[in-house]
Amino acid sequence: MDLFTVLLSIVVIVIVTVVFKNKNQGNCKKFPPGPKPLPILGNVLMIDMSKPHKSFLELSKTYGPVLTVQLGLKKIVVLCGYETVKDALINHADIFSNRPNEPVTDKVLKNYGVVFSNGENWRVMRRFTVATLRDYGMGKKSMENRIIEEAECLVERFKSYKGKPFDNFTSINCAVANIIVGLLLSHRYDYEDPTILKLIHSVNENIRLMGSPWIALYNSFPLLMDWLPGAHRTIFRNMRAFQQFVRATFTKQKKELDVNDQQNLIDTFLAKQQEVQGKPESTEYYHNENLIVLVANLFAAGMDTTATTLRWGLLLMMKYPEIQRKKPVFD
């Protein structure tokens, strides 16, 4: 990138800053107290971007449990402390129900799916997802049996190491992923299958990078950072590769779809797509792009949270073997 491009980017950012400041000058008084921001940079220099929560807690000692910080051009209201967060989520649930619009996710996901979407699209996709997953056994005995079968495969995998040290990361992620893939695609992968390993790698890499200082900078200065190489490009590449996999999968299932014999979530979405064809919701909600992002959301979010919880459980049992040796007591 030449010097002219850099200078042009700086000029554009300054102009945007001035416009943004003038446009929002009347609303600034409505924000909670917080440290005075610098032009363009905001409060970036006073926040540890690798551990921002610690910086926020320190600032809360001065400005209270509800404060405002500015990252680049974006003002953020920060809630600190259990009681403050509890009050916000329980007593003001409607106000705090949406997710913030982040450039790094908006660029590829475009408010589709259920994890990073807001408004009516989120409500429609959430209602569809919850109802469909229940139809396919979520919270029922059939799902419990499927989980037990996969757990037995995971135990056999652990036994194959014959007591020697090993990294359980991939095995646990594969086991959890198989449960989710069963609901989404009616398929199960071997723990060494390159397809599932590639998907797991891309998901975990994105989750790791999402919390990095580089992505925080990208969300603050997307116009400038788009010109630069960095973690955001890796995230975009992983997202698009995952979406291509989902597109190829549901394209194949669409050709073989029997609306009277639906086997998984993708089948149900495609059947719903046919059902509402010609109606407004067919173009607003039940379209291919929403399906692609929805499946990717469920795979990534479900796998990461569950696999991480299981790995913490194993770690705690290793740390407290006396608890592990206790026999469970059932009423």
Side-chain angles (χ1 to χ4, degrees):
M1 186 167 60
D2 55 28
L3 180 60
F4 174 77
T5 304
V6 174
L7 293 175
L8 180 61
S9 300
I10 294 174
V11 171
V12 170
I13 289 176
V14 171
I15 293 173
V16 171
T17 303
V18 173
V19 172
F20 179 86
K21 184 176 180 180
N22 291 337
K23 182 178 179 182
N24 294 278
Q25 193 170 12
N27 296 327
C28 289
K29 296 179 181 178
K30 298 179 181 179
F31 281 91
K36 187 176 181 180
L38 295 171
I40 301 178
L41 294 177
N43 303 117
V44 168
L45 298 181
M46 64 191 313
I47 295 174
D48 181 355
M49 300 304 288
S50 62
K51 298 177 181 178
H53 58 286
K54 292 190 175 182
S55 300
F56 295 153
L57 287 173
E58 284 299 314
L59 289 172
S60 70
K61 296 176 182 177
T62 303
Y63 299 101
V66 182
L67 65 143
T68 300
V69 297
Q70 186 168 318
L71 302 181
L73 305 180
K74 180 184 291 186
K75 284 185 175 293
I76 298 174
V77 176
V78 180
L79 309 180
C80 295
Y82 171 77
E83 292 299 332
T84 305
V85 174
K86 179 182 177 183
D87 178 62
L89 298 182
I90 293 179
N91 299 327
H92 307 281
D94 290 341
I95 299 175
F96 290 90
S97 62
N98 283 348
R99 285 182 177 270
N101 294 320
E102 299 288 4
V104 72
T105 51
D106 290 349
K107 190 177 182 72
V108 179
L109 305 183
K110 301 175 182 177
N111 199 46
Y112 296 144
V114 73
V115 173
F116 294 103
S117 65
N118 290 311
E120 190 61 25
N121 187 82
W122 174 80
R123 282 185 281 272
V124 172
M125 287 298 100
R126 181 183 182 278
R127 189 162 53 244
F128 166 82
T129 302
V130 171
T132 303
L133 291 179
R134 284 175 177 166
D135 288 342
Y136 288 114
M138 185 178 71
K140 299 179 181 178
K141 189 70 176 180
S142 58
M143 176 57 66
E144 180 182 338
N145 293 336
R146 187 181 302 179
I147 292 172
I148 290 173
E149 290 177 5
E150 190 63 46
E152 290 173 350
C153 294
L154 181 61
V155 170
E156 290 302 316
R157 174 78 168 186
F158 285 176
K159 288 181 178 179
S160 69
Y161 293 98
K162 299 179 180 179
K164 296 180 181 178
F166 67 96
D167 186 354
N168 61 36
F169 180 85
T170 301
S171 298
I172 291 180
N173 275 272
C174 284
V176 174
N178 272 331
I179 300 298
I180 300 170
V181 169
L183 290 170
L184 302 178
L185 316 177
S186 298
H187 189 78
R188 184 188 181 279
Y189 290 96
D190 184 79
Y191 292 178
E192 300 295 336
D193 191 298
T195 299
I196 194 67
L197 293 178
K198 182 178 179 181
L199 294 178
I200 290 173
H201 171 76
S202 65
V203 167
N204 284 296
E205 186 175 39
N206 274 12
I207 291 172
R208 176 176 56 83
L209 293 176
M210 281 289 191
S212 67
W214 186 269
I215 298 305
L217 286 173
Y218 180 89
N219 286 331
S220 300
F221 308 102
L223 294 177
L224 175 61
M225 301 295 283
D226 260 335
W227 292 82
L228 302 175
H232 59 288
R233 295 189 182 274
T234 302
I235 288 175
F236 296 153
R237 183 174 63 250
N238 286 338
M239 284 182 174
R240 293 187 177 109
F242 201 113
Q243 290 179 3
Q244 288 174 1
F245 165 78
V246 177
R247 186 185 296 276
T249 301
F250 84 69
T251 299
K252 179 181 178 182
Q253 288 189 208
K254 195 170 187 176
K255 295 177 181 178
E256 305 169 353
L257 177 65
D258 181 354
V259 294
N260 297 317
D261 185 25
Q262 300 167 30
Q263 300 292 323
N264 49 60
L265 182 138
I266 290 182
D267 281 356
T268 303
F269 191 101
L270 294 173
K272 183 70 173 180
Q273 197 175 59
Q274 291 185 12
E275 178 187 331
V276 300
Q277 192 169 7
K279 300 178 182 178
E281 56 263 41
S282 64
T283 54
E284 288 186 48
Y285 309 116
Y286 293 97
H287 51 77
N288 293 346
E289 296 306 314
N290 233 347
L291 173 58
I292 292 172
V293 179
L294 175 63
V295 171
N297 284 169
L298 294 175
F299 181 90
M303 183 195 70
D304 177 69
T305 53
T306 307
T308 301
T309 302
L310 289 173
R311 295 180 72 221
W312 270 105
L314 288 175
L315 177 63
L316 290 170
M317 285 193 292
M318 291 167 60
K319 186 175 181 179
Y320 303 102
E322 70 279 5
I323 303 298
Q324 183 182 358
R325 283 191 292 268
K326 286 186 176 181
K327 293 182 179 181
V329 178
F330 299 100
D331 293 333

